Amino acid sequence: MSGRLPPVRAVWTDFGGVLTPPISQDLETFCRRTKIPAGAMRAAMTAVAKPFGGDLMAPLDTPLISEDEWAARMNAELLGRGVDTDLTGFGKHWFEGRETNEPWRAHLAEVRAAGIYVGMLSNMPPAWDPLWRQMICPGGSETLFDGLALSFEIGARKPDRRIFNVAAELAGVAPGQCLLVDDIERNCAGAEAAGWQSIHFTTAEAAAEQLARCLPPQTTAGPAAT
């Protein structure tokens, strides 16, 4: 990032793949636990998402269909691939045993304690709202975040410019002072197209190092724990 960019006043973190392990890893874990072949699961998700534009989570995130309808379509697609299963209540099964990226959560807490606005900006199905809160913020979302920008509440999902505009308004700072930390490059590109800064997340340690260079000089937040 160029040194000419304004210091970041609001840090917006993604959820899946940033505050959790990579989505691909979570999917493999879920498939092992449920004994659904990973290839069949991906193929079914692709088929269900196709009428909604192709992004695997697009049907659920704004939402375009309910989780129950999505599960029914998935059940039918999987049965057509020789997998007899029931994904009703999918979110609860998906979150079972799901891990938190503790080093990144701890670093966000340090950044917030240093006076920087910290929010979560996520493509999130409504049925998952209580589940991620219990996982990441059992004491209440306000214990970690100053604000939330969730796709199902806003009616737009990353990388749509609208969700970034709403998030910047929530933070009360200019778009150029907002920064998105996301594991998906097209979401980072969407943020930058909206005038934001971004960090493509790979590890908590690398993201913390990059973020430190974007914050105001007087901000003190230590490196992410390993």
Side-chain angles (χ1 to χ4, degrees), residues 79-109:
L79 187 60
R81 290 167 171 80
V83 181
D84 188 1
T85 191
D86 184 2
L87 292 179
T88 302
F90 174 72
K92 292 181 180 179
H93 300 303
W94 177 249
F95 274 79
E96 182 181 346
R98 202 172 185 192
E99 297 178 355
T100 300
N101 186 339
E102 293 291 355
W104 183 242
R105 179 168 65 174
H107 188 69
L108 289 175

Side-chain angles (χ1 to χ4, degrees), residues 3 8 12 16 21 61 120 122 153-155 171 181 183 193 204 208 217:
V8 166
W12 289 90
D61 284 340
M120 190 175 88
S122 179
E153 293 181 330
I154 294 170
V181 181
D183 63 315

Side-chain angles (χ1 to χ4, degrees), residues 3-18:
R4 292 173 293 183
L5 292 172
V8 166
R9 302 288 180 179
V11 176
W12 289 90
T13 183
D14 182 31
F15 173 68
V18 178

Side-chain angles (χ1 to χ4, degrees), residues 15 28 49 61 85 97 99 113 115 128 134 149 153 169 205 214 219:
F15 173 68
E28 293 290 340
D61 284 340
T85 191
E99 297 178 355
W128 295 9
Q134 183 179 3
E153 293 181 330
E169 290 178 6
E205 183 178 13
C214 302
T219 304

Side-chain angles (χ1 to χ4, degrees), residues 1-224:
M1 291 194 176
S2 168
R4 292 173 293 183
L5 292 172
V8 166
R9 302 288 180 179
V11 176
W12 289 90
T13 183
D14 182 31
F15 173 68
V18 178
L19 276 163
T20 76
I23 299 299
S24 59
Q25 179 180 324
D26 277 346
L27 182 61
E28 293 290 340
T29 300
F30 172 81
C31 289
R32 283 197 302 271
R33 189 173 68 249
T34 58
K35 296 181 172 55
I36 300 173
M41 184 73 179
R42 292 191 188 93
M45 291 179 73
T46 298
V48 170
K50 188 175 180 180
F52 303 97
D55 186 296
L56 295 188
M57 293 302 295
L60 289 171
D61 284 340
T62 43
L64 301 175
I65 57 176
S66 69
E67 185 181 68
D68 286 346
E69 174 62 21
W70 181 86
R73 296 187 186 200
M74 284 291 295
N75 290 341
E77 288 289 342
L78 286 166
L79 187 60
R81 290 167 171 80
V83 181
D84 188 1
T85 191
D86 184 2
L87 292 179
T88 302
F90 174 72
K92 292 181 180 179
H93 300 303
W94 177 249
F95 274 79
E96 182 181 346
R98 202 172 185 192
E99 297 178 355
T100 300
N101 186 339
E102 293 291 355
W104 183 242
R105 179 168 65 174
H107 188 69
L108 289 175
E110 289 188 12
V111 170
R112 189 183 186 208
I116 302 298
Y117 182 105
V118 172
M120 190 175 88
L121 195 163
S122 179
N123 293 341
M124 181 71 67
W128 295 9
D129 193 45
L131 301 172
W132 78 260
R133 291 173 188 268
Q134 183 179 3
M135 175 182 170
I136 301 294
C137 304
S141 63
E142 68 279 359
T143 62
L144 181 59
F145 300 119
D146 295 298
L148 302 171
L150 306 178
S151 61
F152 78 89
E153 293 181 330
I154 294 170
R157 63 197 299 276
K158 297 175 292 184
D160 191 313
R161 187 186 190 98
R162 289 175 293 167
I163 196 169
F164 298 111
N165 291 344
V166 170
E169 290 178 6
L170 285 172
V173 303
Q177 295 176 306
C178 291
L179 181 144
L180 174 69
V181 181
D182 201 292
D183 63 315
I184 298 178
E185 291 188 61
R186 70 174 178 274
N187 292 339
C188 292
E192 293 182 11
W196 288 34
Q197 302 177 48
S198 74
I199 292 173
H200 179 221
F201 185 90
T202 54
T203 67
E205 183 178 13
E209 290 176 359
Q210 294 176 67
L211 181 56
R213 296 194 289 269
C214 302
L215 298 177
Q218 69 272 21
T219 304
T220 56

